[in-house]
Every structure is written in C-alpha cells, then in structure tokens.
C-alpha cells in the first residue's frame, strides 16, 4: 500500500503524530492506501508556511496578477494531462463511477483556466465622491491564508471550486480534504510544484475533522474558511470561525425538490428525476431527493419512474457499464439504511429497493438498492432530512401554489428542478422557489461560469462564476486630499 505524506511549505513530510489512516475502497471494503493522520502541530506548520508565502516580500506577493493567472492555466493543463489517473484514484477512494469522476476531472481544468483568466481583471473603482477636493478609489485585496475544507463525495472538483478563485485573488491556502477520500488531494499536491507555484502557496494536511479541521478553522492566522460538507458540521465551523471574526463560505447540504407538472414531457421528466437521485448513488448535495408530482399524473409517473429505476445496473464503479456504485463510507452506508428503516416505521410505502444490495455484482462493497418511497407525508423525516444516498420520496401536489409550498417547506435551499412546457409557469417557479440553483426541464447541470450556492441552511456565499472571486477579496477605500487646504479639524470631512 502506498504511504502518503503531508505537503507543507513545498516539502513532503510525515505527520507529527507518526500515524497513518487506512483509506478504504468502498467497492471491496478493503484498505488500499495509507493517508497521514495530521494534527495541530502539522496545521500550525502549514499555516506558518502559508503565512510566509503571503508575506509582502514573498515571490507569490511580488508576482503580477497576470503571472498568477499563467500559473493557474498551467495547473489546469497539468490536470487535463493527469485526468484519467486522478479519476481512477477518486473512484478507488470514494466508489463513485469512473465515468462520473472522469467527466469531473476532464472538466476541472476549466475552473483553473477561468479563474486564471480573471486574476488580472480584479479591479478597483474610482468613485465620483460627493466631497470636493478629495479623490476616492478602491483596491481589491486578497484576504491572506484561506482554509479549504472539502468532503468525500467529489474531492477534487469541490477543492477546485475553492482553490481556483482563492489563488486567482492572490491568497495562500491550507487544504484539508476528507479523511475518507484524501488520496487524490495528495496526488494532486505535486501538480502545484510542477505548475510553478512557489512553496507554501498551497499546503495539504489530511486527517480527521476534530484533529485537523478544528485547529485550522480556529487558527488565528487563518483569514477565511471555505467549507463544503454537512450542515451540522457547517454550523460548528461557522461558530468557530465567528470567534475569530473570519470570512466564511459554506456549501452545505440539500433536500432538493424535482417538480413535475402535468404539461411536462414525461419521458424527459422521468429521466431527470432518475438522474437527480440515482446518479452518483444519490451522494451529491444537489440530489433531487423529493420528487413532487402533479396529482393527475402521479400514478402513471410513479410506474414509469419505477420501470426506469429498476433497470439501473449496480456493480464495480470502474466498470463502464455500471450506473449505480457503492456508498462511499461505511458510516454513510449505515446512515442510509437507518433512514430507510425510519421511513418504513413512519408509514412511507417502499415501492422499490429498501435494503442493502446483495446482488453478486456488488461483491462485498457497501451497496444500497436504489429505493423509492411513495405515500410520503411532509412531516416525515424522509421528506425533511438529507439522506445522501439513493433514496427518493415521491410526493403528490395539487397546483402551483401547493408545489411551491411543499418545495419551500424545508430548512434547505440548494437546488430545485421544474418540469413544464409552460414558459409562464417556468419563470414564475424560478422566481418563487427558495433555492440557489433552479433547473427547468433539466437537472444536475453545473459550470465554472455559473454561480453555485445555497439559500437558507444550504449555505453562505457562492462558488464558481465571476461572483466567486469576490469571496476571496476585501475592499479597501482610499481617500486622497487634492484640495491642498486645511479643513476644520473638529468637523468630519
Ligand atoms: P462532513 O461535514 O462530515 O465533512 C466535511 C469536511 O469537514 C471533512 O473534511 C471533515 O473532515 C471536516 N470536518 C468534520 N468535522 C469538522 C470540524 N469540527 N471542524 C472542521 N472540519 C471538520 O461532510 P461529508 O460527510 O464529508 O460530506 C457530505 C456532506 O457534504 C453532505 O451533507 C453534502 O450535502 C455536503 N456537500 C455539499 C456540497 C455543496 O456544494 N453544497 C457539495 C458536496 C457535498
């Protein structure tokens, strides 16, 4: 088994604990790599390296914005060359389909290129200030050391969403990947040096949330925390960061509604609902885990949905024919099965799946059968809590108002889907839905160009799109007297 090291100040080193964690392959249930178990001492060293790389005289700070952009472009090109190798690593580490991870890895370069392109377009403004004899302008400046904390489901994609804008804006980074899927991050680490980033601009510390994440979030020299993960962890991270008055971006969970009206193209809608929940084995924050179906088409829609979902092929995520892979972690596997049990106890009707998968093609992996519940009532836990697995609830609605009420009746607000042929209805729904992303007649589309983030408990701030770079900048207002006079010192100018 390959034994990895931490990246601190451009050097690979053993963790100060002298301990390593076994990274598990969810398809085989067996360990396949050893990941350093970092701790506070490693965090301190990494933050010190990132702080040194950010200091006024550093190579990084003296580099032009165009130079920073060129490094990001080079990094994007290196990721493109390494995409296949990194995609396979991610599949071994988190069990998601190779087809999905390959598509992500081939797309990740665009985040580095897009934000690389933005690096030298960060401009202040000259403000036509209302005070005579004064010139006022703004400067957009980096924040300093950014802590990037990422989850296990799309390790490199979600890291790229943070690293690309953070670096384009001129910050330095300490990156803590999930303890369940750190291998791709550690392999990615060497690309920073190959791209030409000065040592210490990006540091990587692996390990547990309480042993690495907490010391990182609370470190006095960390200026910003960019976090993706569950909303409970996000709440803790937010509270810890608040004590240090740090900048925070939170990308948290969801309970997204995929809403199908009776005028929709039903073939497309069935397809969209299946892709919303069973793609990636439901382990995406944008999973459309609640299908809201107009009552007049509910029985027909349910039958068509069940028929399509039953064809889903489970198996080895490295196999190109597989459509549904295992659950990434053992605790998550148990959590998904728990939710299925609770839904049954609360009276939801399990129309498909509803158990661990024992098909021969699933081997000894952590598989859960694609599961569909009907007769789900709004108060049930399955209708309200994020399962993060292949479990769909189908809920009928009567009219537009009813659909909006049910869709918005959640603490989350990450995404929603609307299936309709009516432009009026589509536009009205996009306005009324409380979600950071709304798809109409499609689902699960993302781009480096389009802002992504949550309403309500799904998060704070935006990743991707031109807005995202603002999350890594602070504005300085500069006032210059051009009057040459001495105004009354006892009156505010
Ligand atoms: P998680 O919250 O358990 O962990 C996320 C990261 O936080 C990990 O690196 C973990 O080690 C770290 N962490 C844990 N406790 C910490 C603490 N006390 N202080 C600092 N860091 C800590 O999430 P997960 O189980 O890895 O990922 C699944 C969750 O992520 C789901 O809820 C999902 O919806 C969410 N997610 C959101 C998005 C989005 O963009 N909105 C994308 C993907 C996943």
């Amino acid at each position: 088994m390959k034994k990895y090291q931490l990246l601190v100040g451009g050097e690979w080193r053993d963790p100060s604990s002298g301990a390593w964690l076994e990274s598990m392959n969810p398809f085989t249930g067996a360990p396949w790599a050893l990941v350093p178990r970092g701790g506070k001492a490693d965090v301190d060293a990494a933050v010190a390296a990132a702080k040194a790389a950010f200091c006024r005289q550093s190579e990084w700070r003296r580099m032009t914005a165009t130079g920073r952009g060129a490094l990001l472009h080079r990094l994007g090109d290196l990721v493109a060359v390494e995409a296949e190798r990194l995609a396979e690593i991610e599949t071994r580490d988190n069990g998601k389909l190779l087809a999905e991870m390959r598509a992500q890895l081939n797309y990740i370069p665009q985040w580095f290129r897009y934000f690389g392109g933005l690096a030298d377009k960060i401009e202040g403004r000259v403000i036509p200030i209302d005070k005579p004899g004064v010139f006022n302008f703004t400067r957009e400046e980096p924040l300093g050391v950014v802590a990037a904390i990422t989850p296990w489901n799309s390790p490199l994609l979600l890291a790229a969403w943070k690293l690309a804008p953070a670096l384009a804006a001129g910050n330095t980074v300490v990156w803590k990947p999930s303890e369940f899927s750190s291998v791709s991050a550690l392999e990615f680490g060497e690309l920073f040096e190959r791209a030409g980033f000065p040592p210490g601009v990006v540091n990587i510390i692996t390990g547990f949330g309480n042993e690495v994440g907490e010391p990182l979030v609370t470190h006095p020299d960390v200026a910003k925390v960019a976090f993706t993960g569950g909303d409970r962890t996000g709440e803790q991270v937010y509270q810890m960061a608040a004590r240090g008055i740090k900048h925070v971006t939170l990308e948290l969970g969801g309970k997204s509604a995929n809403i199908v009206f009776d005028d929709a193209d039903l073939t497309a809608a069935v397809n969209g609902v299946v892709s919303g929940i069973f793609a990636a084995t439901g382990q995406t924050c944008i999973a459309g885990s609640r299908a809201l179906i107009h009552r007049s088409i509910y029985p027909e829609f349910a039958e068509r949905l069940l028929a399509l979902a039953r064809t889903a092929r489970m198996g080895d995520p490295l196999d190109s024919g597989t459509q549904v892979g295992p659950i990434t972690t053992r605790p998550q596997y148990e959590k998904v099965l728990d939710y299925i049990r609770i839904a049954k106890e609360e009276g939801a009707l399990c129309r498909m799946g509803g158990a661990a998968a024992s098909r021969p093609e699933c081997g000894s992996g952590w598989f859960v059968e694609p599961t569909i519940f009907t007769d789900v009532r709004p108060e049930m836990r399955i209708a309200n809590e994020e399962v993060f697995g292949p479990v769909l609830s189908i809920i009928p609605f009567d009219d537009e108002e009813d659909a909006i009420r049910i869709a918005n009746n959640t603490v989350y607000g990450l995404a929603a889907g609307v299936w309709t042929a009516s432009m009026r209805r589509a536009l009205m729904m996009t306005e009324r839905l409380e979600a950071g992303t709304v798809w109409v007649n499609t689902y699960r589309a993302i781009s480096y160009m389009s802002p992504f983030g949550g309403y309500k408990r799904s998060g704070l701030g935006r990743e991707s799109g031109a807005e995202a770079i603002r999350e890594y900048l602070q504005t300085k207002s500069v006032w210059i007297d051009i009057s040459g006079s001495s105004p009354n010192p006892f009156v505010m100018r």
Side-chain angles (χ1 to χ4, degrees), residues 21-291:
L21 305 170
E22 287 182 334
S23 208
M24 310 295 279
N25 177 333
F27 179 60
T28 62
W32 76 287
L34 291 170
V35 166
R37 180 172 176 175
K40 185 174 181 311
D42 304 304
V43 169
D44 288 346
V47 174
K51 189 181 175 188
F54 188 75
C55 80
R56 185 54 61 196
Q57 307 76 29
S58 73
E59 186 186 349
W60 179 240
R61 288 304 290 284
R62 282 185 284 115
M63 195 178 286
T64 62
T66 307
R68 283 202 309 272
L71 292 188
L72 283 160
H73 267 271
R74 216 174 294 153
L75 182 62
D77 292 346
L78 286 171
V79 179
V81 171
E82 300 288 338
E84 185 65 24
R85 187 175 70 85
L86 291 169
E88 273 194 35
I89 288 170
E90 296 224 305
T91 293
R92 277 183 218 289
D93 224 14
N94 77 359
K96 280 172 90 173
L97 301 188
L98 180 58
E100 166 98 354
M101 300 331 282
R102 183 183 282 143
Q104 288 190 7
L105 261 297
N106 281 315
Y107 203 22
I108 286 172
Q110 297 296 25
W111 269 268
F112 294 112
R113 293 174 183 143
Y114 179 81
F115 286 99
L118 276 183
D120 59 6
K121 288 150 203 85
I122 298 167
E123 296 168 347
R125 292 184 299 145
V126 172
I127 296 173
I129 206 78
D130 61 323
K131 310 205 182 291
V134 182
F135 185 70
N136 178 241
F137 68 95
T138 60
R139 293 172 47 85
E140 297 297 328
E141 299 182 346
L143 302 170
V145 178
V146 171
I149 302 181
T150 48
W152 42 259
N153 61 331
S154 295
L156 291 180
L157 182 73
L158 298 171
W161 291 12
K162 296 163 178 53
L163 292 170
L167 296 172
N171 300 281
T172 57
V173 177
V174 179
W175 170 16
K176 183 229 167 293
S178 165
E179 59 273 31
F180 294 107
S181 61
S182 298
V183 179
S184 61
L186 294 167
E187 289 280 347
F188 197 96
E190 67 161 50
L191 302 187
F192 296 108
E193 189 188 352
R194 278 169 59 193
F197 284 88
V201 170
V202 179
N203 308 273
I204 306 174
I205 306 291
T206 55
F208 291 115
N210 59 342
E211 294 178 357
V212 175
E214 288 188 21
L216 187 55
V217 171
T218 52
H219 197 294
D221 289 333
V222 166
K224 157 143 193 153
V225 181
F227 172 87
T228 298
D231 62 314
R232 294 227 170 83
T233 321
E235 187 183 318
Q236 277 177 11
V237 165
Y238 198 19
Q239 282 173 351
M240 287 189 286
R243 275 178 232 128
I245 320 287
K246 295 175 195 293
H247 297 255
V248 176
T249 310
L250 300 172
E251 297 287 356
L252 309 176
K255 193 72 196 175
S256 301
N258 222 338
I259 307 164
V260 185
F261 286 95
D262 51 357
D263 63 347
D265 171 342
L266 287 197
T267 305
V270 167
N271 210 52
V273 170
V274 165
S275 92
I277 188 66
F278 297 128
T281 320
Q283 300 174 104
T284 71
C285 50
I286 49 181
S289 51
R290 295 181 299 152

